[in-house]
């Protein structure tokens, strides 16, 4: 068996975390977005360290990335 985890990312969250804040509210949104991304990255990294293949992509990109991952695993004779 080859474990694979698909995590649905949020493009807007990433954009908010990297944006330059222009107001106090923007700064709070940026800090919250960055906190969420860090909290999300930890379990993904833990899974990868344990040998789980992870796809982390926005919903609209998951199908393509899943197919590409499958083809990659087949080409490397993991499957």
């Amino acid at each position: 068996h080859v474990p694979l985890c698909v995590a649905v990312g949020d493009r807007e969250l990433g954009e908010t975390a990297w944006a330059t804040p222009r107001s106090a509210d923007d700064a709070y949104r940026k800090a919250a977005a960055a906190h969420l991304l860090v909290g999300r990255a930890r379990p993904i990294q833990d899974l990868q360290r344990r040998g789980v293949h992870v796809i982390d992509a926005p919903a609209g990109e998951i199908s393509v990335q899943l197919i590409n991952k499958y083809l990659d695993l087949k080409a490397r004779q993991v499957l």
Side-chain angles (χ1 to χ4, degrees):
H1 297 283
V2 178
L4 173 67
C5 175
V6 177
V8 180
D10 183 344
R11 187 178 314 249
E12 188 175 329
L13 187 64
E15 290 171 359
T16 301
W18 289 101
T20 302
R22 295 202 161 93
S23 68
D25 284 345
D26 287 348
Y28 286 116
R29 281 189 205 91
K30 177 182 174 84
H35 179 76
L36 288 170
L37 288 177
V38 168
R40 188 173 188 279
R42 286 184 188 135
I44 289 172
Q45 291 169 349
D46 187 43
L47 287 169
Q48 290 171 326
R49 276 193 300 273
R50 294 172 187 263
V52 176
H53 297 272
V54 177
I55 295 173
D56 182 15
E61 298 175 17
I62 286 178
S63 296
V64 171
Q65 289 202 24
L66 189 56
I67 291 167
N68 288 338
K69 177 59 85 172
Y70 171 78
L71 293 173
D72 175 59
L73 293 172
K74 284 292 274 187
R76 293 189 294 132
Q77 298 181 348
V78 176
L79 296 176

